[in-house]
Amino acid sequence: MMLPVVLLLMPILSPALAWIPLEDWESGNVTASVGESGQCVCHVSVPDTTFPADRVQNMQQVTKDLILEVKIQVNKMVSYESKMEIYLEQLMDLTVRVAMLASSPDKYIKLDFELLKTELKEFEALVSQLKGSINASSPMFDSLHAEIRNMTNIVNQLETYDKSNLEVIRIEFGKLQKKLEQCQKDQEFTTPDIGNCNHTGIMHVSKPMVVQLNAHLDPNYQYGGWGKDSKPVRGQESMYWYGGYKTPAVYEFYIYSNSQKLILRSSFTHHGLPQGYEGIGNNYIIHGNTIYYQAANPFRMTKLNLTSSAYSHRRLAKAMESVSCVHSPNQYLDFSADEKGLWVMYTTEESKGKIVIAKINEKSFDIEDEWSTRAFKRQVGNAFMACGVMYATRPADLTAEEIFYSYDTKTGEEKHLSIPLQKFQENFVNMHYNPTDQKLYMYNNGYYVSYNLQFNRK
């Protein structure tokens, strides 16, 4: 760009023009004319020599923006590369699964095909998103799309082969549903109301329900028992009791107001047996807020009222102090309580080692009546009463007992049974029935274990 300059002709040139090259003077950049006063006037067009700083600054900013954009695009490419690796791994996994379906479509159900089709659609959407982000087309993306469409067609075709298998599954599911409904009806039919003995006896025993290790948290406490009051007083319906020992000796009991405190071993009442009232054996119960247990030296049945702390005892002249159960030494008196009241089982000289059932009068603490059975106590793991019927168990193997015998005190009828009773561990020393919830409570190798009973209604 040339700037016009007007000069008056002077004898000496202006210093401002001294640096103008000669060729510029000769190239038509200088013109002359006569002024109004007759003087000569020169017109000089001088080049623009100002440095363009603003344009350089703008160029630098544009350069920074371009560098930043290049970095962003490079980071995108790195991210896309990692995503492509993930997508390719997913595609390989889908390819394997489609191949498995193709090899044996009859082994899969409709849900398998639906899940696979959903994953293929999601994968196709991811590839499309990646392609759009890059804003480019390449043979790799086109190949991925073609592969996904091919796999989708295969899955759709295989799904049509599965219709017969789905029909079989539908029929079998219908059969299973009918069996479940029938099982629920049987359960309602065979389970009597609590306290109701309108049934023909025990039909089934549930699997063991293990609560926890004993309150001492010590597996060496192999002897003992636990359970609920079989005839709770008002306000103490949720009470639980526990007694645990390292030997067959019985010398203390713990009372908990509910199951939570039993488990947490908190807020308990401790009852220690005084000298002369210590017990032995392990089949004791709490009935009517009173502990019934077998005392030693002398051998007798004893009760402790938990409210008054009063003790009572009774000698049983006929009971033998020599025949115990399989799992528990020194267990000569087996106490039990059911819907009919309080019972004790033992052997006598006359029974020759067979179990005798005796009904206890709770007020007088005397024996009301006796029944002789044909179950040898040395073969019995434990015995309990339910609705006036004695049930005896025997070891089946290391993991199970078998309820093998029953005696009905009302009719005198004996039955040979085969009802399995699974144990948590091999040995147990205390098992008794509780009529308030129709459960069996077992002290199994130091653990609290219980069972639900299923009765067969008439």
Side-chain angles (χ1 to χ4, degrees), residues 177-325:
Q177 190 174 23
K178 289 181 179 178
K179 288 182 179 180
L180 178 60
E181 292 173 355
Q182 185 62 42
C183 180
Q184 291 174 338
K185 290 179 181 179
D186 293 342
Q187 179 73 12
E188 294 173 358
F189 179 77
T190 57
T191 303
D193 297 330
I194 299 297
N196 186 354
C197 291
N198 188 25
H199 56 75
T200 59
I202 297 174
M203 184 176 69
H204 176 71
V205 180
S206 73
K207 290 185 177 181
M209 291 169 283
V210 182
V211 179
Q212 68 172 31
L213 188 62
N214 58 68
H216 290 90
L217 301 180
D218 189 340
N220 293 317
Y221 281 75
Q222 298 290 311
Y223 301 94
W226 79 292
K228 296 180 66 177
D229 192 327
S230 54
K231 186 184 176 182
V233 298
R234 187 182 297 273
Q236 298 185 26
E237 292 83 0
S238 58
M239 181 265 281
Y240 281 81
W241 58 269
Y242 159 70
Y245 322 96
K246 294 182 178 180
T247 69
V250 179
Y251 49 85
E252 63 182 355
F253 294 94
Y254 295 85
I255 308 300
Y256 303 87
S257 59
N258 55 53
S259 59
Q260 182 178 6
K261 291 181 179 178
L262 170 78
I263 294 173
L264 296 177
R265 301 175 293 115
S266 63
S267 302
F268 57 82
T269 301
H270 177 259
H271 293 272
L273 303 182
Q275 186 176 3
Y277 287 91
E278 299 93 339
I280 195 167
N282 293 278
N283 208 346
Y284 34 78
I285 61 170
I286 292 184
H287 181 75
N289 204 39
T290 301
I291 302 175
Y292 292 87
Y293 66 98
Q294 171 189 301
N297 301 320
F299 169 67
R300 64 202 186 278
M301 62 179 187
T302 305
K303 67 177 182 178
L304 164 63
N305 186 285
L306 296 177
T307 302
S308 63
S309 297
Y311 287 86
S312 298
H313 57 88
R314 187 74 63 197
R315 294 288 301 270
L316 295 175
K318 295 182 179 181
M320 294 175 60
E321 192 181 356
S322 59
V323 181
S324 186
C325 292

Side-chain angles (χ1 to χ4, degrees), residues 42-60:
C42 293
H43 298 271
V44 182
S45 297
V46 182
D48 182 9
T49 59
T50 305
F51 185 77
D54 57 338
R55 286 188 287 173
V56 172
Q57 184 177 5
N58 182 60
M59 182 185 67
Q60 289 176 336

Side-chain angles (χ1 to χ4, degrees), residues 133-145:
S133 299
I134 297 178
N135 194 22
S137 177
S138 69
M140 180 176 62
F141 288 119
D142 295 338
S143 176
L144 281 174
H145 272 290

Side-chain angles (χ1 to χ4, degrees), residues 113-132:
F113 293 100
E114 291 297 333
L115 291 175
L116 191 55
K117 287 195 294 184
T118 300
E119 292 183 36
L120 284 169
K121 289 180 181 178
E122 292 176 353
F123 190 74
E124 184 176 9
L126 289 173
V127 173
S128 299
Q129 180 183 0
L130 182 59
K131 181 179 179 181

